[in-house]
Amino acid sequence: MSKIPKNLLYTEEHEWILVEGSRGTIGITDHAQEALGDVVYVDLPKVGDKVVKGETFGTVESVKAASDIYAPVSGTVVEVNEALKDNPELINKSPYEDAWMIVVELDDESELDELLGPEDYENILEGE
């Protein structure tokens, strides 16, 4: 069973977000990294780029496939995890801690209401 931290919000596309004040740290879930297999490359936006809820903001490539990453919220990128460029395998090793992808300044905090809580996300995984 995939790890599902209780302090995060989730999307049906298997991204997570940790909200602290007006900022959200975003990554992909343990389930997503397991499904991808060994990650070999990650493409992320730059600081200052805008991301839009539900639209792609990056790509993760594994030995199995390439997969788009969808923004759980809209906002401006204020940090990018540069460690992933040289060590994309961090996504497999530590999807919730070392392999966060971007931090965004939220445009509209009401978008958080549309995300899944940990129990809802777990129910989706059980249905797959």
Side-chain angles (χ1 to χ4, degrees), residues 8-77:
L8 306 176
L9 296 171
Y10 300 89
T11 68
E12 292 183 23
E13 292 78 27
H14 310 291
E15 288 85 16
W16 58 261
I17 181 168
L18 171 66
V19 178
E20 296 172 300
S22 62
R23 292 184 171 194
T25 303
I26 297 168
I28 65 169
T29 67
D30 189 38
H31 174 81
Q33 68 81 19
E34 284 178 5
L36 283 166
D38 294 338
V39 174
V40 295
Y41 178 76
V42 62
D43 182 40
L44 298 173
K46 296 178 179 72
V47 170
D49 286 354
K50 297 284 273 181
V51 298
V52 177
K53 178 180 172 59
E55 294 188 4
T56 61
F57 72 83
T59 306
V60 175
E61 291 182 26
S62 72
V63 293
K64 290 182 182 175
S67 184
D68 289 332
I69 314 164
Y70 297 92
V73 293
S74 301
T76 303
V77 177

Side-chain angles (χ1 to χ4, degrees), residues 93-119:
K93 293 177 182 170
S94 180
Y96 296 115
E97 291 86 22
D98 298 331
W100 60 273
M101 294 179 168
I102 59 172
V103 178
V104 298
E105 185 76 31
L106 304 176
D107 280 350
D108 181 358
E109 291 185 25
S110 70
E111 290 179 340
L112 298 170
D113 297 337
E114 300 166 27
L115 298 175
L116 302 167
E119 293 80 16

Side-chain angles (χ1 to χ4, degrees), residues 67-95:
S67 184
D68 289 332
I69 314 164
Y70 297 92
V73 293
S74 301
T76 303
V77 177
V78 294
E79 285 185 63
V80 176
N81 188 348
E82 299 293 338
L84 294 179
K85 287 184 179 175
D86 294 331
N87 301 296
E89 68 276 7
L90 285 174
I91 292 170
N92 297 114
K93 293 177 182 170
S94 180

